[in-house]
């Protein structure tokens, strides 16, 4: 027998899993991956691999969802991407300042600008278009 999951249930499941991911990210950001049962000799190479995998996944998400947002002229998707970018890069920059990894603060500022400018311009353009169509 196939279980039927309603759209509301799918939204709830997706939201819960996403919230868990955010909470795990907060724990790792403040306590590090050293809290896991991993041999200290492989911790740094493993952390580097995980960081790379996260960047690949997040980059793929930005590429796919970003292209969809611009093709659809969807300001809500653009705002969602912008909020995720802001959280990512501000938190990363704050930890970079804390650990005195200054070059990464510059990288974070540049990456935030490179993604934010087209998103903000897209949102602004769509607002102007919808305002103009409301008048007509």
């Amino acid at each position: 027998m196939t279980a039927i999951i309603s759209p509301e249930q799918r939204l709830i499941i997706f939201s819960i899993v996403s919230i868990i991911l955010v909470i795990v990210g907060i724990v790792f950001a403040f306590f590090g991956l050293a809290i896991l049962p991993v041999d200290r000799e492989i911790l740094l190479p493993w952390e580097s691999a995980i960081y790379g995998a996260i960047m690949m996944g997040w980059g793929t998400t930005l590429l796919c969802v970003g292209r969809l947002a611009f093709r659809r002229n969807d300001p809500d998707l653009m705002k969602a991407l912008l909020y995720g970018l802001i959280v990512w890069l501000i938190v990363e920059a704050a930890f970079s300042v804390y650990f005195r990894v200054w070059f990464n603060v510059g990288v974070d500022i540049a990456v935030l600008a490179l993604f934010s400018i087209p998103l903000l311009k897209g949102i602004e353009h769509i607002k102007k278009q919808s305002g103009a169509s409301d008048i007509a």
Side-chain angles (χ1 to χ4, degrees):
M1 184 166 141
T2 305
I4 297 175
I5 301 175
S6 72
E8 295 82 20
Q9 290 170 321
R10 291 191 297 267
L11 175 62
I12 290 168
I13 292 167
F14 193 87
S15 298
I16 289 170
V17 173
S18 297
I19 291 167
I20 290 168
L21 183 62
V22 170
I23 291 167
V24 170
I26 291 168
V27 170
F28 288 158
F30 285 97
F31 301 106
L33 294 178
I35 64 173
L36 298 175
V38 176
D39 186 326
R40 298 298 175 245
E41 289 184 28
I42 62 163
L43 187 59
L44 182 58
W46 180 62
E47 286 174 337
S48 297
I50 289 173
Y51 192 71
I54 291 168
M55 294 293 284
M56 286 184 266
W58 182 222
T60 302
T61 301
L62 288 169
L63 176 66
C64 294
V65 177
R67 289 174 58 88
L68 185 64
F70 283 103
R71 282 187 182 138
R72 291 184 179 176
N73 277 337
D74 189 329
D76 293 329
L77 274 179
M78 291 179 194
K79 288 176 187 176
L81 288 168
L82 187 61
Y83 300 152
L85 286 160
I86 289 168
V87 170
W88 165 39
L89 293 165
I90 287 178
V91 171
E92 184 173 315
F95 277 103
S96 294
V97 167
Y98 177 79
F99 290 110
R100 298 184 174 148
V101 184
W102 304 114
F103 79 90
N104 198 58
V105 176
V107 170
D108 290 337
I109 291 168
V111 170
L112 184 57
L114 288 169
F115 278 114
S116 296
I117 291 168
L119 288 169
L120 290 169
K121 292 292 184 186
I123 293 165
E124 179 184 356
H125 177 74
I126 294 163
K127 278 184 180 179
K128 284 181 183 177
Q129 275 185 328
S130 68
S133 66
D134 290 342
I135 295 170

